[in-house]
């Protein structure tokens, strides 16, 4: 199982990867200069990936402003928390603000309302 990361950082990494994917797709389009339609198709797909990145960055920015800021008990730095459970953005310490989850093993499923563990 892959290590869990902070939700905000994970979404920002996804948006950054969309930018790189868009640039790479547009660069691939340069290899088809003789076929204008194919080149145009790659350029449009690349621009759409970059625009999707802008939308994701705007969405996570608005979500980040509403996130709860807490001080991590392990490293003492401020971090933002989304949902019932999350990881510290600095030291990956499991965090929760729900007193019923304290002392339990960290699991991302606690954030899903219809599939909560007992």
């Amino acid at each position: 199982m892959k290590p869990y990361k902070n939700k905000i950082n994970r979404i920002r990494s996804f948006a950054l990867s969309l930018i790189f994917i868009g640039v790479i797709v547009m660069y691939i389009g340069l290899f088809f200069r003789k076929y204008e339609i194919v080149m145009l198709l790659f350029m449009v797909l690349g621009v759409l990936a970059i625009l999707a990145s802008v939308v994701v960055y705007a969405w996570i920015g608005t979500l980040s402003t509403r996130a709860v800021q807490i001080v991590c008990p392990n490293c003492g730095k401020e971090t933002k928390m989304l949902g019932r459970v999350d990881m510290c953005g600095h030291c990956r310490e499991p965090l929760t603000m729900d007193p019923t989850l304290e002392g339990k093993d960290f699991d991302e499923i606690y954030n899903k309302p219809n599939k909560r563990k007992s």
Side-chain angles (χ1 to χ4, degrees), residues 10-24:
R10 194 172 18 162
I11 296 170
R12 285 180 182 155
S13 297
F14 172 71
L16 182 63
S17 68
L18 278 177
I19 290 175
F20 286 120
I21 289 169
V23 169
I24 290 169

Side-chain angles (χ1 to χ4, degrees), residues 1 10 20 29-30 32 49 53-54 56 60 63 73 75 78 86 89-90 95 99 104 106-107 112 116-117:
M1 188 173 158
R10 194 172 18 162
F20 286 120
L30 292 177
F32 298 100
S53 165
V54 169
V56 172
I60 195 59
L63 196 62
C75 65
E78 282 192 5
D86 203 357
H90 306 285
L95 302 171
K104 292 186 179 181
F106 179 83
D107 197 348
K112 297 178 180 159
R116 291 186 179 149
K117 287 185 175 181

Side-chain angles (χ1 to χ4, degrees), residues 48-113:
L48 287 177
I50 291 174
L51 288 177
S53 165
V54 169
V55 170
V56 172
Y57 269 123
W59 172 67
I60 195 59
T62 59
L63 196 62
S64 178
T65 59
R66 290 184 273 144
V68 178
Q69 284 190 357
I70 60 172
V71 176
C72 176
N74 189 30
C75 65
K77 296 179 182 176
E78 282 192 5
T79 187
K80 293 184 179 184
M81 186 173 143
L82 293 175
R84 292 175 68 199
V85 294
D86 203 357
M87 289 282 190
C88 174
H90 306 285
C91 67
R92 292 192 176 171
E93 172 79 15
L95 302 171
T96 184
M97 292 183 60
D98 190 354
T100 61
L101 296 177
E102 286 192 24
K104 292 186 179 181
D105 288 337
F106 179 83
D107 197 348
E108 190 178 358
I109 199 130
Y110 291 128
N111 288 327
K112 297 178 180 159

